[in-house]
Amino acid sequence: MFTKEHDVFNVLLGSVSEGVVVVDALQTITETNASADKMFGYNRHELIGQHLNVLIPNNYHPSHAAHFKGFMKDQERRQMGHGRDIFGKRKDGSIFPVEAGLNPFQLENKDYVMALVIDISVRKEHERKITELNTELELKIEKRTKELNDSVLLLKTLNEELQIENNRRIDAENKTKKALQKEIELNELKTKFLSLVSHEFKTPLSGILTSAMLLGKYQLSEQQEKRDKHIKTITEKVHYLNNILNDFLSLEKLELGKVDYKYSNFKISKIVNEVVYNANMLLKEGQQIKYPEHIDDLSLIQDEKIMELALSNLIHNAIKYSPEHSIIYLEIKQNNTETTFKVIDNGMGVPEKDQKNIFNRYFRAENALLTHGTGIGLNIVQTHLENLGGHISFESEENKGSNFIITIPNQFTP
């Protein structure tokens, strides 16, 4: 189905904990992830090529066909069911409640629908328990009311018991509401993320294809400048895609605890020069990076590659979110125990309401949605730094810029 993008797509599917099922316009299942296979009780790739009806209870088959036809006609992202309870069917025939977010997309001029499926059996069980608590409370109220007719002395005891029962009910409802809200927010975030990543890969791939096609038209020697321009475009787009894929692979290693940190003694000037050299190739017109040059006496005993990755992420973000003809400052201070790196820009800044989520995985500030990015870079940097005994913080004001600060021990002992 996905030809050249297949490996990348599999990495993306593997990073999603909810079940993902992709079908074509004929409702044929073309792709699933491991979470979906496990949820429905199938072996890996066993669902590929089967009709979507294998995952739907038999009594819903007639109506589902009409719903699917209407959805393909409208081509709008939405939650499946619209207030109705929906169910999935496992391989063993058992039925369980689900929620599903539907996301239409096109690939190679073909229509597909990606469903993000969540097993909500636990939530339904919580709702059942609340109903039981309410029923139990109503029965106790009825019983106590009858007893009041016999003795006014029971009134105080009744009120106390009712208060306890009411508190239990309210507590159960609050817990369920919080769990439901968290589940809704996570579902929306993952759906938004999948849509964002699809765009992030589609745009550079389209640029690569266009430049590759144009290269074939410039065959004369005097057209070398035009050929070089398109070769540069292809190189930049491939580099961009490679960085995104590396981010996802890093994220997977962090989640699985497979990161093998390598500690060494290195000069801070070495990583600074490397980061600034690479960043200079990304600068917009008139942008400059100002950094301390006389730091050869400063060194760290840390993981050199991780420190270079962290600093590169902050510098690249400063370039990306700052305007042309602006200056990006890198400040470095070191005392006997720790070193501080501060990256200062005069860019778009982070809105105050978004600042609490800036290090959350897949999150992107509202004013940055039109700029390329996946929302996982800062999360990866934060996790690595914490694993190395350091931390990252920031100060920001919308439309005035941001200061990102890395603080790391001069020597980390695992």
Side-chain angles (χ1 to χ4, degrees):
M1 165 189 170
F2 297 102
T3 61
K4 297 180 180 178
E5 299 163 285
H6 190 266
D7 292 339
V8 172
F9 196 78
N10 282 337
V11 173
L12 298 181
L13 293 184
S15 69
V16 180
S17 58
E18 285 74 19
V20 176
V21 179
V22 179
V23 300
D24 60 19
L26 299 178
Q27 300 187 57
T28 300
I29 298 172
T30 61
E31 193 63 68
T32 62
N33 68 350
S35 297
D37 296 335
K38 182 178 179 181
M39 183 185 304
F40 288 95
Y42 287 85
N43 295 325
R44 194 73 183 106
H45 304 306
E46 189 177 0
L47 285 168
I48 306 301
Q50 298 199 50
H51 194 277
L52 182 59
N53 279 346
V54 301
L55 305 181
I56 301 172
N58 295 341
N59 55 316
Y60 289 97
H61 288 181
S63 60
H64 182 268
H67 290 315
F68 185 88
K69 182 178 180 181
F71 174 78
M72 293 300 293
K73 180 180 178 181
D74 295 337
Q75 288 287 301
E76 293 182 353
R77 252 186 354 185
R78 64 175 175 84
Q79 289 293 113
M80 184 178 177
H82 294 293
R84 298 178 287 104
D85 288 337
I86 59 175
F87 300 88
K89 182 177 70 173
R90 299 187 180 92
K91 183 178 181 180
D92 62 7
S94 60
I95 307 300
F96 64 103
V98 299
E99 274 188 355
L102 303 180
N103 301 271
F105 67 98
Q106 286 190 338
L107 196 62
E108 298 181 354
N109 296 322
K110 294 183 180 180
D111 291 325
Y112 296 89
V113 178
M114 176 173 59
L116 190 67
V117 186
I118 303 173
D119 184 347
I120 59 172
S121 301
V122 174
R123 189 206 309 166
K124 289 296 184 182
E125 178 62 17
H126 287 170
E127 293 174 352
R128 183 189 66 79
K129 289 182 179 179
I130 289 175
T131 301
E132 290 180 356
L133 285 172
N134 286 333
T135 302
E136 180 183 356
L137 180 60
E138 291 172 0
L139 291 174
K140 288 187 177 182
I141 291 174
E142 182 180 356
K143 178 181 179 181
R144 296 297 187 268
T145 302
K146 292 180 180 179
E147 292 176 350
L148 278 174
N149 294 330
D150 300 327
S151 176
V152 178
L153 295 177
L154 294 176
L155 180 59
K156 184 177 180 180
T157 302
L158 170 64
N159 288 335
E160 292 176 350
E161 291 182 358
L162 286 178
Q163 186 61 48
I164 293 173
E165 294 295 335
N166 191 49
N167 288 341
R168 287 176 57 198
R169 180 177 63 83
I170 292 175
D171 184 59
E173 287 180 347
N174 288 338
K175 288 181 180 179
T176 300
K177 287 179 180 178
K178 289 181 180 179
L180 176 59
Q181 184 60 35
K182 185 176 182 181
E183 194 171 291
I184 291 174
E185 291 175 355
L186 182 61
N187 187 23
E188 291 177 349
L189 186 61
K190 292 296 180 66
T191 301
K192 178 181 177 182
F193 163 72
L194 288 174
S195 176
L196 173 67
V197 170
S198 296
H199 175 75
E200 288 298 315
F201 277 96
K202 182 179 179 180
T203 301
L205 285 173
S206 297
I208 291 172
L209 179 60
T210 300
S211 291
M213 293 173 64
L214 290 174
L215 274 176
K217 297 181 179 181
Y218 302 130
Q219 299 180 4
L220 301 178
S221 58
E222 57 266 26
Q223 294 177 318
Q224 183 61 40
E225 183 177 347
K226 293 182 178 180
R227 286 196 293 271
D228 291 341
K229 176 183 176 182
H230 290 293
I231 291 173
K232 180 181 178 182
T233 297
I234 293 173
T235 302
E236 290 175 349
K237 300 297 184 183
V238 170
H239 182 67
Y240 176 72
L241 288 172
N242 186 61
N243 285 341
I244 294 179
L245 184 55
N246 284 337
D247 279 348
F248 283 114
L249 294 175
S250 295
L251 193 62
E252 183 180 20
K253 288 181 180 179
L254 283 171
E255 287 185 338
L256 298 175
K258 292 184 177 180
V259 180
D260 183 18
Y261 294 108
K262 300 183 184 301
Y263 305 99
S264 62
N265 190 336
F266 58 90
K267 296 288 187 180
I268 291 179
S269 58
K270 179 183 178 184
I271 63 169
V272 169
N273 291 335
E274 185 71 20
V275 169
V276 172
Y277 175 80
N278 291 328
N280 281 334
M281 294 184 287
L282 304 175
L283 292 175
K284 300 174 185 175
E285 183 176 352
Q287 282 186 333
Q288 297 180 51
I289 301 175
K290 292 194 174 182
Y291 61 99
E293 298 181 353
H294 304 293
I295 54 175
D296 289 336
D297 57 334
L298 303 182
S299 62
L300 288 174
I301 300 178
Q302 281 283 357
D303 188 309
E304 181 178 344
K305 291 299 182 183
I306 295 302
M307 293 307 302
E308 182 179 329
L309 178 148
L311 193 57
S312 292
N313 183 276
L314 300 189
I315 295 291
H316 290 178
N317 281 349
I319 294 172
K320 181 164 56 175
Y321 298 118
S322 295
E324 296 179 348
H325 303 287
S326 61
I327 300 177
I328 297 158
Y329 296 92
L330 171 60
E331 297 179 355
I332 302 173
K333 296 181 180 179
Q334 186 176 78
N335 58 27
N336 293 331
T337 59
E338 62 186 20
T339 301
T340 300
F341 300 84
K342 180 184 287 189
V343 177
I344 305 169
D345 67 59
N346 298 299
M348 63 175 62
V350 182
E352 185 176 356
K353 65 183 181 65
D354 291 335
Q355 292 186 10
K356 64 180 182 297
N357 296 314
I358 198 67
F359 291 111
N360 290 349
R361 189 180 304 171
Y362 311 131
F363 179 80
R364 304 199 70 211
E366 187 177 85
N367 61 344
L369 295 179
L370 298 180
T371 307
H372 290 307
T374 59
I376 64 175
L378 286 176
N379 178 265
I380 291 173
V381 169
Q382 182 187 53
T383 304
H384 276 311
L385 291 175
E386 289 176 351
N387 290 344
L388 296 175
H391 65 272
I392 182 172
S393 60
F394 77 101
E395 301 167 350
S396 186
E397 187 173 350
E398 190 172 7
N399 298 321
K400 290 188 177 181
S402 303
N403 300 340
F404 277 84
I405 305 101
I406 291 174
T407 303
I408 196 79
N410 294 337
Q411 179 175 347
F412 180 65
T413 304

